[in-house]
Amino acid sequence: MTVAIEYDMEAIARIVGGRLKPSDKAAQPKYLSVDSRKIVAPESTLFWAIRTEQRDGSLFMPELYSRGVRNFITEDEKISRSLKGVNVILVKNSLLALHKLATYHRKRFKKIKVIGVTGSNGKTIVKDWLFALLSPYYDVVRSPRSFNSQIGVPLSILQIRSHHVIGIFEAGISRPGEMKALERMIQPRIGIFTNIGTAHDEGFRNRDEKIREKLLLFSRSETLVYPEEENEITENIREADIAHKVKVHSWGTHKSHYAIKSITTAGTHTEISIATGRKKDIIKIPFTDKGSVQNAINCYGAIKELGISNREVIKGFEKLQALSMRLELQYGINGCVIINDSYSNDLQSLEIALDFLLRQQPEKHTVILSDMLQSGRSSDSLYKEIAGLMERKGVRKFVGVGKDISASKEFFTGIPGRYFFRDTESMLSQLARLQFENEVILIKGARKFHFEDISRRLEKQSHETIFSINLTNLAHNVRVYKTFLKPDTRLMAMVKAFAYGAGSSEVSSLLQFIKADYLTVAYADEGVALREAGISLPVMVMNVSVHYFDALVKYRLEPEIFSPALLLAFTSYLKERKIKNFPVHIKIDTGMHRLGFDVSRIDELLSLLKGNHFIRVQSVFSHLSASDNPEYDSFTMQQYQLFRKVVRRVQSVVRYPFLRHIANTSAISRFAALRMDMVRLGIGLYGIDSNPNVASRLMPVCRLTTTISQIKNVKKGEVVGYGRNRITRDKVIATVGIGYADGYRRVLGNGVGGMFVRGRLAPTVGNICMDMTMIDISGIEGVREGDEVEIFGENLPISRVALWAHTIPYEILTGISQRVKRVYYEE
């Protein structure tokens, strides 16, 4: 993971107590990374060389130096001396130094309400469900994925910014002494203890020691929420005397703080009635398994402890979704359905996953299970219980992967179809023998076994280019810009050009749902499509001619009027049809010289407006030409002052209120005075802003991916692609399914551009073809045909691709061909 940082090397050295060896040749970092495989912007990344029992990150420094990294923090002075022109901070303990930075960073934000989550199962689901429930209404920061370790927690904490209102962080431990460090960084105000299970039992003398270690997370909390039915947790809370320091609010029977009155399942939904004193809530979730019910109640307790009474938050439980890598259903090969739980592996989560499997009511069901690590039990005892569980659940086909489970195969004789392999690679090599067809397959394994490789082989490969649009992030970005606005300032969203390539009706539906005030399209036919898609928001049409007048009136589209001739023509059209007070928007040219009434002809405009009852001026606006560039701020203010003068003259004639707007995306954050009555938000919707302080708060919305069609080993001196581009060394070349007909520009060929493959940047090779592109994957391990390739998105910012192409992100987005499949999703 790479995180943005707000500290220069001198500040970091001071905070962590390190010794800085600076260089005038190295730029200050903007990002921090602990993973050498995932550094995309080496020149502006600080590599934090973590030394653990398994690996020393300092050993990767020379390779990163060759890739352009010039900022390091390390324990190894010898390696650092070999690197010239770098900023290096030397520390005694790299992990402790990272903890110090995170602790310092956390202390800066005293007002944020932090929820700390721990337990054996459900931590990530509870965290992500809370995010889904709260983020539509509050600015929330959370741990990415399952970043709950001694390394993951500090990286998560470093994401906190001043605008965040709520933080949700999970904490995981595997041995005594670890939780104190996590507590110092997280400092939760509210705690959630999800449950206690067998995971990591072997790291502790007994279960009680593990529970007491986990309870340390809440040593300075105000409130702790946990399930009363977890008797071991209850007993340890009592013995540790935590109730004298922390308000302990259990959920469960009528004696609990959150009393569960009833749990009713109907079809695919569950209804949970919860009472707190005399108050009662009913939450509905689209799940029926016990694990989801427990997770939902834990989420409810946290929301109540935050003091949130927003009914819309409670209604949000109905929209919760299964999380990726957490019991996610996907279509597989040969008519199979895959349940992917290749994330964790212990008895409790196994039973929950089996319940989920059987709820699919398959005619044939299969379980693929790895060794169960860190259970703290003998193999005979553990696998005898697992085999009995499989038989009780009626599993008819079982695949065991790992040395321990294979050595215990005698316990599984009650299952008709059973297969055992010593490792994942052995299983994959004999996949055909397993004859998976028309069955539901549960894949559950410890991370060590890389069961994602099994998932990849069994899942149905589409081999198609996909443009993914994250509507959740788009809504987040709108909220970011709204923080700059007064409550009565309206927001107009630009959805012209197919919503910057993202899809007009889909994006507009979301904007309508989150209460945008206006939409803008370029042409009337775009507005017609929105109306036919059920969009009822007011829509302004920018480029209007007489040919579109009928459509404007029929579909209630509001034209931009930019010239005397157009105003005369539209007034005449309305007069002939006896239509009065039709809404229009008057555009003034204050210096961009594209469309709009010239300031020198304002008298003519005023004469046409005076006494005109056929139109009603909804707004008067202008367009800024360089609001993103501080160099031209004086010109921007000149445009604004000129606009104000024109507006005053229009007001003297119209004599009724209308909206005034001139601020575009860049101006919203940079010029408070220019926000006026309404602002126009365009590219900022998609997470792009020229202001770095705003850009750091935005979330990426669009992701363009494709797949590898074929991989070839090409020898030095051979040619690749059209134009016979000769390569100068042996290379491994992957052909991917995107070309200039899809919107991947030809200028990005011959190494100018690159794509993100398995955590590395792979440069293009040869010319871009109409439907395909070749990339160099030499040195990138584990790449296979069918693998996903990111063109731009979370790992490779679109701004970087635009820079390679000598253009702007607008052009990249709007240039994506309509033949590219759009996929819309909400987290």
Side-chain angles (χ1 to χ4, degrees), residues 18 30 75 109 121 174 285 309 358 366 421 441 493 587 590 735 745 777 792 804:
K30 297 178 182 178
E75 301 174 27
F109 306 97
N121 295 294
S174 59
I285 61 172
S309 56
L358 298 177
T366 298
F421 302 92
I441 306 169
K587 185 170 187 180
T590 56
T735 300
R745 296 163 60 90
I777 59 170
F792 61 75
W804 289 335

Side-chain angles (χ1 to χ4, degrees), residues 11-32:
I12 293 172
R14 184 176 63 254
I15 293 165
V16 305
R19 179 161 54 94
L20 173 64
K21 297 174 66 178
S23 170
D24 295 333
K25 297 180 181 179
Q28 290 295 327
K30 297 178 182 178
Y31 309 100
L32 182 156

Side-chain angles (χ1 to χ4, degrees), residues 295-505:
N295 293 331
I297 298 172
N298 281 320
C299 289
Y300 174 87
I303 289 168
K304 287 299 179 181
E305 297 304 332
L306 285 169
I308 292 171
S309 56
N310 187 335
R311 299 304 304 170
E312 294 303 314
V313 174
I314 301 301
K315 289 180 181 178
F317 279 89
E318 296 185 54
K319 300 177 182 178
L320 292 174
Q321 298 179 2
L323 301 176
S324 177
M325 300 295 280
R326 288 288 190 178
L327 303 178
E328 178 181 345
L329 284 170
Q330 300 185 36
Y331 290 104
I333 59 173
N334 304 328
C336 293
V337 173
I338 311 301
I339 300 175
N340 191 343
D341 194 21
S342 54
Y343 190 92
S344 64
N345 199 17
D346 60 81
L347 276 172
Q348 281 190 320
S349 63
L350 174 60
E351 187 161 8
I352 291 170
L354 287 171
D355 287 341
F356 187 79
L357 167 68
L358 298 177
R359 276 208 326 278
Q360 312 312 313
Q361 298 181 339
E363 292 185 10
K364 294 195 294 183
H365 44 267
T366 298
V367 174
I368 303 175
L369 184 71
S370 78
D371 281 352
M372 195 167 286
L373 307 176
Q374 301 177 328
S375 71
R377 296 174 55 179
S378 69
S379 290
D380 283 1
S381 169
L382 175 65
Y383 293 111
K384 188 174 182 179
E385 183 172 349
I386 290 173
L389 179 62
M390 295 292 166
E391 290 185 43
R392 290 197 305 274
K393 298 293 184 181
V395 172
R396 309 297 292 170
K397 186 174 180 180
F398 179 83
V399 179
V401 179
K403 295 179 182 178
D404 292 343
I405 201 168
S406 296
S408 304
K409 59 185 177 182
E410 71 228 43
F411 299 121
F412 293 84
T413 54
I415 301 174
R418 54 195 183 277
Y419 308 85
F420 294 90
F421 302 92
R422 291 182 63 81
D423 51 44
T424 304
E425 188 175 339
S426 300
M427 181 212 155
L428 290 174
S429 68
Q430 299 185 55
L431 199 60
R433 183 166 73 90
L434 298 174
Q435 298 180 333
F436 293 122
E437 187 173 359
N438 298 319
E439 53 198 286
V440 179
I441 306 169
L442 169 63
I443 301 174
K444 187 158 185 61
R447 294 183 187 181
K448 171 185 175 181
F449 288 87
H450 299 290
F451 269 20
E452 63 270 19
D453 293 338
I454 299 175
S455 303
R456 193 178 297 113
R457 291 282 293 274
L458 293 179
E459 289 166 8
K460 191 173 183 179
Q461 299 295 323
S462 60
H463 295 284
E464 59 183 357
T465 300
I466 296 175
F467 188 26
S468 303
I469 296 93
N470 186 327
L471 298 176
T472 303
N473 285 357
L474 193 148
H476 164 86
N477 294 340
V478 172
R479 290 195 301 275
V480 168
Y481 284 101
K482 281 188 173 182
T483 63
F484 294 101
L485 309 181
K486 295 178 180 178
D488 58 349
T489 303
R490 302 188 188 190
L491 186 141
M492 174 182 276
M494 313 300 285
V495 293
K496 59 181 180 175
F498 199 54
Y500 293 75
S504 300
S505 60

Side-chain angles (χ1 to χ4, degrees), residues 153-169:
V153 167
L155 293 178
S156 302
I157 294 297
L158 287 171
Q159 296 179 110
I160 300 176
R161 295 294 181 266
S162 59
H163 55 87
H164 290 127
V165 177
I166 297 170
I168 312 168
F169 303 103

Side-chain angles (χ1 to χ4, degrees), residues 134-161:
L134 296 170
S135 61
Y137 311 99
Y138 305 92
D139 213 332
V140 183
V141 60
R142 60 172 168 170
S143 309
R145 300 183 293 278
S146 287
F147 275 46
N148 57 31
S149 67
Q150 299 293 309
I151 296 174
V153 167
L155 293 178
S156 302
I157 294 297
L158 287 171
Q159 296 179 110
I160 300 176
R161 295 294 181 266

Side-chain angles (χ1 to χ4, degrees), residues 673-687:
L674 275 61
R675 295 166 196 157
M676 305 184 84
D677 301 318
M678 184 159 68
V679 298
R680 300 189 302 273
L681 181 59
I683 197 70
L685 289 168
Y686 306 99

